[in-house]
């Protein structure tokens, strides 16, 4: 599920506001079977993360990260959450 591009979005239309969670382990090409990618997928299988969090913790260039996220989305391996659709929580009075 791709969400419309917003201000500050990455080149591939992946905004830093989006949250990603791994739904299923993907089949990766040989070049994608690196320790860094497996660490990233492992974290994403346990907790949802956003693009900024990923960029801050991996050495992958932003364009490559976007390409990987788009591939994972196309493969149906990622759940993509747009938190802008949620209203702020209100505490009961």
């Amino acid at each position: 599920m791709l969400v419309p591009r917003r201000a500050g979005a990455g080149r591939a239309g992946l905004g830093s506001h989006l949250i990603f969670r791994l739904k299923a382990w993907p089949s990766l090409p040989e070049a994608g079977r690196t320790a860094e990618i497996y660490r990233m997928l492992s974290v994403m299988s346990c907790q949802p993360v956003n693009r900024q969090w990923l960029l801050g913790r991996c050495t992958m260039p932003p364009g490559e990260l976007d390409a990987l996220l788009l591939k994972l989305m196309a493969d149906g391996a990622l759940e993509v959450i747009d938190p802008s659709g949620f209203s702020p929580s209100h505490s009961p009075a």
Side-chain angles (χ1 to χ4, degrees), residues 24-43:
W25 282 91
S27 284
L28 296 171
E30 180 99 18
R33 296 179 195 157
T34 66
E36 181 175 47
I37 289 176
Y38 279 123
R39 276 193 300 273
M40 182 177 21
L41 294 175
S42 178
V43 170

Side-chain angles (χ1 to χ4, degrees), residues 6-22:
R6 301 174 93 193
R11 284 184 6 211
L14 297 175
S16 60
H17 69 288
L18 297 178
I19 300 170
F20 305 98
R21 187 182 69 80
L22 192 67

Side-chain angles (χ1 to χ4, degrees), residues 61-78:
E64 286 182 29
L65 176 62
D66 289 346
L68 175 62
L69 292 172
L70 287 170
K71 179 197 178 329
L72 294 172
M73 288 173 16
D75 292 349
L78 280 186

